[in-house]
Amino acid sequence: MPYDYQIRSADDYRDAYKESINAPEKFWGKIAEHFLWKKKWDKVLEWNFTEPKTEWFRGAKLNITENCLDRHLEKNGNTAAIIWEPNDPEEHHRIITYKDLYYKVCQFAGVLKNNGVKKGDRVCIYMGMIPELAIAVLACARIGAIHSVVFGGFSAQSIADRLYDAKAEFIITCDGAFRGAKDIPLKSVIDDALIGNREVKRVIVCTRTRTPVSMIKGRDVWWEDEIKKIETLGLIDCPAEEMDAEDPLFILYTSGSTGKPKGVVHSCAGYMIYTNYTFINVFQYQPNDIFFCTADVGWITGHSYILYGPLSAGATTMMFEGIPTWPDAGRLWNIIDKHKVNILYTAPTAIRSLMGFGLAPLEGKNLSSLKILGTVGEPINEEAWHWYDENIGKGKCPIVDTWWQTETGGILISNIAGITPSKPAWATLPMPGVQPILVDENGKEIIAENDEIISGNLCIKAPWPSIIRTTYGDHARCQKKIISVHIQIYISQAMAH
C-alpha cells in the first residue's frame, strides 16, 4: 500500500474509528510516526473545553514544509507537485515539480528574511490563484512567519480590518489578478487599505497582469527584483525554522456575527497530521493521481486540500486561476480532459450553476480519467448530487460529501470514497477521531431509538488534531462563541441529519 494508514475496507474503517475513540493518543501517535520531526512529542494529547485549551503532540518540534517538500525530494523530486491552469485557456499551463517547488520556496523564504520578516511575524497574502501564492504561503511556514491569506475579492476595508486585527507588518500581493472576464486591481486595493496604516513595513508585489501600479519608495518592492537580490547574494538555501507543535501556522479570517473579522488560528503539528490523514483517506488518493480542488486558497478548503493536505502526501495538486463558467461552461470539463484529472473536489454552488447550462457544454468531453468526485462548502441537494453522479461521474465515481468548516481545519464527517456507504445529500459517517453527538437546546444529548431519524444541534464531543486553537488576540471570543463546556460546534438542524 502507498500509505500505511490508508483505510482500505469497511472493516478497516470500523477498526480505525474504534481505536481513535477508545485510545486517541495511541491512534494518532502511530500515524504521526510517518512524518518528519526535529524532536518527538512528550505527550500526544492534553485538552479541556473549559478554558478552552487543546494541545496535540506537546513538546514536539517540526517544520511543516519539511513534510510538504524536503521529504519528497529523494524519491519524488521530479513528480509534479502543482499543476497550474491559468484563467485564459490560451495561456500555457505550468507544471512545478517537488524539486522546483522546494527551490522556489527556499528562494522566496530568503526574500522574506532579507526584507525583515521573522519567526512569529504576521504576513498578509492578497494574491490571485497563481503558483506564487502557494510559494508565498510555504515560504512563510518555512521561516516560521504566520501567514494570513485574504481572498482576492475582498475590499480594501476588509483587508484593513484584518491587517489591524493581526497587527501585520508585511504584505505579499500582485499588481492584479485575472478571474473570468474580470481584471482585479489587487495592488490598488492594498494601497487603499493602507491609507492611515503605520504598521506595514513592506509590500512585496508580484507581476501578473502588468497593470500600472504606484510603488511607494521604501515600502513597496517587486517580487522579481527581490528574487534577483537573493540570487546575487547567494542566499538560495533556507533551512526550515524549528517550530513547536502548537506554534501558530496561520490565521484565517471569517466574518463573525457582529461583522468583526474573526481570526481562526491553526497550529503546526495537529493541522498537518489531520489534513494529511483526511486527504489520503476521504479521497482514497493513490500515487500519480491528479487531484483537482476548485476552491481558492483564500478559503480553508484551499489551505487544507490544495496545499497542505496534498503536498504533505506527496500528491499532485491542481491550482485553477479562473472560474468554471468562463470563457464558457465547459471550462472545468476541458481542464479534466486536458490534465487527465482523477479526483474532482468542488462546491454544490458550482455544480448547480453548471447544471443551469444544460448538457451542451459536456458534448465531446471524455471525463474517463475521473475516479472520485467530492463536494464541499454547503449541503448538496439530491437533484445536484444525481446530476453530478450521472453526467460527470457516469455513475462510476463515488461521491464524497464532506462536512467541515474553517474552525475544524479538516473534514469531520464524510463517506470514504468507495469504502463506506454514500447516500445522496447526506454526509454520512464521522472520520476517525471525530465524536459527533446531537443535543437539544439545553445541551442534553438526544439518543436515537430503533434507527429513527432525529434532528438537533450537531456537536463534537472531544478534540481532533486540527481543531481551532484560538481566535487571534481574543481567546475569550473563542471560548464564548466557538467552544463551550457542553456544546462545541453548531450547524443547522437540517445538516444535523
Side-chain angles (χ1 to χ4, degrees):
M1 289 194 303
Y3 304 104
D4 291 342
Y5 46 94
Q6 189 168 56
I7 293 167
R8 304 296 292 172
S9 68
D11 285 341
D12 280 356
Y13 167 77
R14 284 188 286 269
D15 291 344
Y17 189 80
K18 183 177 179 180
E19 183 180 18
S20 74
I21 302 307
N22 295 335
E25 292 192 53
K26 179 183 176 184
F27 178 80
W28 291 110
K30 285 192 298 185
I31 291 166
E33 291 287 352
H34 294 274
F35 293 78
L36 288 180
W37 303 89
K38 293 176 181 291
K39 176 185 174 295
K40 292 289 182 68
W41 50 91
D42 300 318
K43 186 172 176 57
V44 172
L45 174 62
E46 183 108 4
W47 68 283
N48 71 73
F49 277 157
T50 305
E51 295 181 53
K53 185 177 182 181
T54 303
E55 291 183 313
W56 282 93
F57 308 104
R58 191 177 67 191
K61 307 293 182 183
L62 76 157
N63 188 288
I64 196 169
T65 67
E66 290 188 323
N67 287 280
C68 291
L69 301 172
D70 304 50
R71 69 172 178 155
H72 305 313
L73 296 179
E74 184 178 350
K75 293 183 179 179
N76 297 307
N78 294 322
T79 297
I82 295 173
I83 298 175
W84 176 72
E85 182 64 29
N87 180 66
D88 184 352
E90 297 301 316
E91 184 179 351
H92 199 272
H93 67 276
R94 290 166 61 186
I95 296 177
I96 301 174
T97 67
Y98 274 94
K99 190 182 296 181
D100 295 335
L101 187 59
Y102 168 83
Y103 177 83
K104 291 176 183 295
V105 167
C106 287
Q107 189 181 53
F108 193 67
V111 167
L112 293 177
K113 292 173 77 171
N114 202 42
N115 278 275
V117 184
K118 306 180 302 297
K119 180 179 179 179
D121 285 345
R122 277 77 60 209
V123 179
C124 173
I125 302 176
Y126 184 65
M127 303 176 76
M129 280 287 286
I130 58 177
E132 285 72 19
L133 169 55
I135 291 162
V137 165
L138 293 167
C140 287
R142 187 80 177 176
I143 66 171
I146 302 167
H147 60 77
S148 182
V149 183
V150 178
F151 173 60
F154 276 13
S155 68
Q157 186 59 55
S158 296
I159 297 166
D161 291 344
R162 286 154 174 77
L163 289 170
Y164 176 80
D165 189 77
K167 298 179 175 57
E169 296 179 326
F170 303 91
I171 297 174
I172 307 168
T173 189
C174 297
D175 51 0
F178 297 122
R179 186 170 175 82
K182 298 179 181 178
D183 291 1
I184 303 169
L186 298 180
K187 177 59 166 60
S188 295
V189 176
I190 287 292
D191 289 341
D192 290 344
L194 290 180
I195 294 173
N197 183 299
R198 297 187 178 182
E199 301 294 326
V200 172
K201 298 174 180 176
R202 185 75 75 240
V203 178
I204 301 174
V205 185
C206 182
T207 303
R208 173 60 184 135
T209 60
R210 302 196 179 278
T211 302
V213 298
S214 60
M215 298 289 284
I216 296 178
K217 188 175 182 180
R219 188 196 72 180
D220 301 349
V221 295
W222 289 102
W223 174 301
E224 296 79 9
D225 291 344
E226 296 304 299
I227 291 289
K228 288 176 184 176
K229 287 182 187 177
I230 292 300
E231 291 175 337
T232 301
L233 293 169
L235 302 175
I236 302 302
D237 185 42
C238 183
E241 184 74 30
E242 181 174 285
M243 305 295 288
D244 186 84
E246 283 298 314
D247 277 342
L249 173 63
F250 65 84
I251 304 167
L252 188 56
Y253 282 91
T254 65
S255 297
S257 56
T258 62
K260 181 179 182 291
K262 177 179 63 192
V264 172
V265 177
H266 283 291
S267 60
C268 294
Y271 175 81
M272 174 184 74
I273 298 295
Y274 196 75
T275 53
N276 176 284
Y277 182 81
T278 49
F279 170 74
I280 285 168
N281 281 293
V282 169
F283 302 104
Q284 287 292 289
Y285 185 85
Q286 303 299 322
N288 301 316
D289 280 350
I290 308 297
F291 180 81
F292 182 15
C293 172
T294 67
D296 193 286
V297 173
W299 309 119
I300 189 64
T301 304
H303 279 59
S304 299
Y305 299 112
I306 293 178
L307 298 183
Y308 287 115
L311 294 176
S312 65
T316 298
T317 182
M318 283 201 65
M319 289 182 71
F320 175 39
E321 185 181 30
I323 59 175
T325 55
W326 192 87
D328 57 57
R331 186 69 200 280
L332 283 189
W333 322 133
N334 288 333
I335 292 172
I336 290 167
D337 280 352
K338 175 181 177 180
H339 297 289
K340 307 302 179 191
V341 171
N342 305 114
I343 304 166
L344 175 66
Y345 191 35
T346 194
T349 300
I351 296 167
R352 286 190 286 268
S353 173
L354 293 167
M355 284 173 63
F357 291 89
L359 297 180
L362 284 161
E363 291 178 6
K365 308 301 188 295
N366 188 285
L367 306 184
S368 61
S369 62
L370 287 171
K371 300 191 297 185
I372 293 162
L373 305 176
T375 67
V376 60
E378 73 275 348
I380 186 169
N381 56 305
E382 287 198 38
E383 182 185 7
W385 193 98
H386 286 295
W387 186 90
Y388 197 34
D389 176 47
E390 294 165 11
N391 297 292
I392 309 306
K394 314 296 185 185
K396 298 176 181 178
C397 298
I399 298 175
V400 291
D401 179 358
T402 65
W403 176 77
W404 59 297
Q405 55 198 131
T406 306
E407 292 82 355
T408 75
I411 297 164
L412 294 194
I413 300 176
S414 174
N415 53 308
I416 295 174
I419 303 296
T420 58
S422 65
K423 184 175 182 179
W426 293 57
T428 67
L429 298 172
M431 291 301 296
V434 177
Q435 300 183 55
I437 57 172
L438 288 177
V439 301
D440 61 21
E441 296 303 319
N442 298 312
K444 182 180 179 181
E445 187 172 356
I446 304 168
I447 306 295
E449 296 180 5
N450 302 319
D451 294 326
E452 66 176 324
I453 295 176
I454 58 173
S455 65
N457 296 299
L458 176 60
C459 306
I460 312 298
K461 202 172 181 179
W464 56 99
S466 66
I467 189 173
I468 179 177
R469 295 308 196 262
T470 188
T471 42
Y472 189 77
D474 191 358
H475 192 65
R477 188 179 188 188
C478 178
Q479 182 182 41
K480 184 178 179 181
K481 296 294 184 182
I482 300 176
I483 303 175
S484 67
V485 177
H486 300 295
I487 302 173
Q488 293 86 51
I489 295 177
Y490 289 90
I491 60 168
S492 69
Q493 287 192 358
M495 287 182 71
H497 291 173

